[in-house]
Amino acid sequence: MYKKYSPKENLAFIIVASENSIFKEFNVLIKQLETLLEKNKNTDEILDKIDNELITKIKNYWQLEKSQVIAYGYLVFNQFKVSKEKMTAENITTAYIYQMRLYSPDNAVEFVQRNFNVDLKKIYKE
């Protein structure tokens, strides 16, 4: 059985990946997100690392595959790359909510595959 992630867990992984990265460069952040997903099978530990107030802002109840979690990471980290805004947990939460409004999980994967030339479904087979 494949691991599914909630949007709240997805947010937590993105925030922790950012906090664990000394260099806030796009490729470093994506690699950190991938590493966290591989090493942390117990998502409660990741959720415990972020402010509960941020988690409560997430209203979607989707079940996300690993490729979709990574896709949202691409979208959020790219938003900061383009905007040059400071990458704080609060700003990441706002950006993540914005990206979820723009892209459904499948659309996020399609957008990333098309615009970043990455085959997420092949790389992140469940």
Side-chain angles (χ1 to χ4, degrees):
M1 181 160 215
Y2 301 126
K3 173 81 175 115
K4 297 286 186 175
Y5 301 89
S6 72
K8 293 176 183 190
E9 291 167 336
N10 192 175
L11 172 64
F13 275 105
I14 292 171
I15 290 172
V16 173
S18 168
E19 291 172 348
N20 287 354
S21 298
I22 296 169
F23 301 104
K24 304 295 186 205
E25 296 170 7
F26 182 79
N27 291 335
V28 173
L29 292 164
I30 293 297
K31 191 68 183 159
Q32 182 63 37
L33 179 58
E34 293 170 341
T35 301
L36 279 172
L37 283 167
E38 287 302 314
K39 290 184 176 179
N40 292 283
K41 303 302 179 196
N42 182 355
T43 54
D44 289 340
E45 291 175 13
I46 293 294
L47 286 168
D48 288 343
K49 292 182 180 187
I50 67 169
D51 185 349
N52 195 41
E53 209 172 287
L54 298 174
I55 293 171
T56 61
K57 293 182 179 187
I58 305 299
K59 303 300 181 199
N60 299 59
Y61 293 99
W62 299 329
Q63 289 189 340
L64 305 172
E65 297 173 359
K66 189 183 287 186
S67 61
Q68 295 166 332
V69 170
I70 296 292
Y72 282 114
Y74 268 85
L75 294 171
V76 170
F77 294 144
N78 189 60
Q79 184 173 328
F80 284 97
K81 179 180 165 186
V82 171
S83 74
K84 306 284 190 227
E85 186 178 7
K86 185 172 168 85
M87 203 176 292
T88 65
E90 183 67 40
N91 289 347
I92 290 170
T93 302
T94 302
Y96 179 64
I97 291 169
Y98 175 76
Q99 294 300 334
M100 282 195 307
R101 286 186 183 138
L102 285 179
Y103 302 99
S104 70
D106 286 338
N107 287 344
V109 169
E110 289 173 22
F111 180 86
V112 168
Q113 289 182 155
R114 187 173 57 250
N115 291 286
F116 292 90
N117 200 25
V118 178
D119 190 350
L120 295 176
K121 292 196 180 228
K122 187 179 275 186
I123 296 171
Y124 302 105
K125 286 187 244 175
E126 299 296 327

